[in-house]
Amino acid sequence: MRADLTPKEYDLLVLLLRSPGTVLTRTAIQQAVWGVEDLGLTRTVDVHIRTLRQKLEVCGNCLETVRGVGYRWRKEL
């Protein structure tokens, strides 16, 4: 499988893969990927997660939403 990712999608994927099983808050993701703590009221992180899931196809199921907290990469398929 090959997925053509944007630079931000790639950075987001690397961030999640480096901490499998660890829940990352939206703020932590914004800080690590965009270099800011608050992107305002935008849904930037959520949109990037959604497109990343689509591009990863079956592997996109490993991207879990932790409701009210953030996201994590599931350790096992």
Side-chain angles (χ1 to χ4, degrees), residues 41-56:
L41 298 175
T42 65
R43 304 292 292 173
T44 302
V45 173
D46 301 325
V47 170
H48 278 77
I49 290 286
R50 184 180 70 232
T51 57
L52 189 55
R53 281 182 177 138
Q54 292 170 346
K55 289 181 178 184
L56 293 176

Side-chain angles (χ1 to χ4, degrees), residues 10-65:
Y10 178 81
D11 292 344
L12 177 56
L13 179 59
V14 168
L15 176 67
L16 291 163
L17 289 174
R18 285 188 175 157
S19 304
T22 302
V23 178
L24 300 173
T25 65
R26 285 177 178 83
T27 301
I29 293 170
Q30 289 173 1
Q31 181 74 39
V33 177
W34 284 269
V36 294
E37 287 186 27
D38 187 15
L39 292 174
L41 298 175
T42 65
R43 304 292 292 173
T44 302
V45 173
D46 301 325
V47 170
H48 278 77
I49 290 286
R50 184 180 70 232
T51 57
L52 189 55
R53 281 182 177 138
Q54 292 170 346
K55 289 181 178 184
L56 293 176
E57 298 173 356
V58 174
C59 293
N61 292 331
C62 289
L63 263 170
E64 290 186 324
T65 300

